[in-house]
Amino acid sequence: MKFSELPLNDQVLDALEAMRFEECTPIQEKSIPVILDGKDLIAVAQTGTGKTAAYLLPILNKLSEEEHPEDAINCIIMAPTRELAQQIDQQMEGFSYFMPVSSVAVYGGNDGILFEQQKKGLTLGADVVIATPGRLIAHLSLGYVDLSRVSYFILDEADRMLDMGFYDDIMQIAKYLPKERQTIMFSATMPAKIQQLAQSILNNPVEVKLSVSKPADKIIQAAYICYENQKLGIIRDLFAEQTPERVIIFASSKLKVKEVTKALKHMKLNVGEMHSDLEQAQREEVMYAFKAGKINILVATDIVARGIDIDDIRLVINYDVPHDCEDYVHRIGRTARANNDGVAITFVSEKEQSNFKVIENFLERDIYKIPVPATLGEAPEYKPRTNENHKRNGNGKKGGGKKSNRRNGKKEAKKPF
């Protein structure tokens, strides 16, 4: 469907034409009419499906057509990270080019001038406020922010906000809002805690759910079936001869990120870490160094799996198997972008085998198993405990081990990059 077929006004369509946007994505096609209708919405869609435009376009349409107070905050958009708030703000500037709609991005940082700029935008009544939960609450606590006339409350990447511990903050912010409002929630996944949040703040919402798409074909996917204590050894072997530029290693927790980073530094690798314990200024510094090539390897939690635009990631390593298929797709989707090739490698310990099998079933393929380097000793067999165990992968083949690892005492597998 073309945007021109939707009931969007000329100002919005002119902006889309100037930006050379013609065709709607599926999430835009399904969400925009619901939002224009004034109904609450919960939409489940991956990053990269065009969800930001799916809510910005209809909200801008309503702000430019319907009567809203000029001196009030009319729309609040919540985002989990500063980076995503900045990206939404940039898209907002493009889409609102032909209409008199004001916006301010409100996020953390140590810059006092930035805080004052945010305060000014909030007190004057910007039409749209794009904010991270913690920084908005900081401004609210000082008493000069009036949210009593907000018409639209939008939560972007709601599941990520809850993963980062923002549930109480969101509920606190919601108390400042009028009950008569339109609430819109976008999430990549739909766990129980998201359903609980939706029941708390949405009113009879329409649900739009897109199935998770498969990873790009140009991503080379592989796995090591290994013991937990072999994972660092595999990394050492992978990077023994050369370190590919721009590698992201995803780990399951902040503690694991810190441990892996420390171990890689001992290996004399050029590595940085990214997790929610870092101050905003530290996170910006690390991301800048990674983008600039001053850091080759970034060890991170899923906080950076979404919304970070770096087009030349050549290798993604899942140090731990992701919790669900959506997270797997988001993680490995950091590579093979902008027509580049990329490699995604997952380390699968014994207790992670069943979870990895679920991912293989979702992908409808068996991911190639690279034999563990012979120098690290015997590896476990791949025997995931699932009902499909004997149908597809329960054939007794080893993911590693002495027999499959050695050929005349030399490593059998070629490195995938």
Side-chain angles (χ1 to χ4, degrees), residues 266-381:
H266 279 305
M267 296 180 199
K268 308 299 182 185
L269 292 169
N270 190 9
V271 60
E273 61 188 88
M274 180 72 77
H275 49 76
S276 57
D277 275 356
L278 297 180
E279 295 292 333
Q280 186 61 48
Q282 293 174 297
R283 282 169 47 194
E284 282 187 4
E285 185 179 341
V286 171
M287 191 55 65
Y288 175 79
F290 186 55
K291 288 182 177 180
K294 296 177 182 178
I295 292 173
N296 298 116
I297 302 170
L298 182 66
V299 186
T301 56
D302 284 305
I303 191 172
V304 299
R306 302 179 190 190
I308 297 296
D309 284 322
I310 305 174
D311 287 335
D312 52 355
I313 304 296
R314 305 312 298 269
L315 173 63
V316 168
I317 295 176
N318 293 311
Y319 194 87
D320 306 296
V321 175
H323 293 300
D324 53 43
C325 302
E326 290 93 339
D327 281 336
Y328 179 82
V329 172
H330 282 301
R331 285 185 182 186
I332 75 169
R334 297 306 92 197
T335 188
R337 303 176 76 178
N339 296 316
N340 291 323
D341 293 327
V343 177
I345 298 174
T346 303
F347 297 165
V348 186
S349 68
E350 285 184 295
K351 66 179 181 180
E352 297 173 304
Q353 289 190 14
S354 296
N355 207 7
F356 189 66
K357 183 60 181 173
V358 171
I359 292 171
E360 286 190 309
N361 289 344
F362 166 74
L363 298 173
E364 298 180 328
R365 57 174 287 193
D366 293 334
I367 293 175
Y368 173 67
K369 314 301 187 301
I370 305 173
V372 171
T375 53
L376 298 178
E378 190 167 350
E381 294 182 7

Side-chain angles (χ1 to χ4, degrees), residues 3 108 168 284 356 395:
F3 282 110
D168 291 340
E284 282 187 4
F356 189 66
N395 54 9

Side-chain angles (χ1 to χ4, degrees), residues 138-173:
H139 284 284
L140 284 167
S141 66
L142 295 173
Y144 49 73
V145 182
D146 179 12
L147 301 184
S148 64
R149 292 186 282 177
V150 169
S151 298
Y152 314 105
F153 186 42
I154 301 169
L155 298 165
D156 197 351
E157 295 199 359
D159 53 345
R160 193 59 56 206
M161 281 194 275
L162 298 196
D163 286 345
M164 294 171 67
F166 288 136
Y167 180 87
D168 291 340
D169 289 350
I170 292 167
M171 297 307 297
Q172 185 178 339
I173 291 165

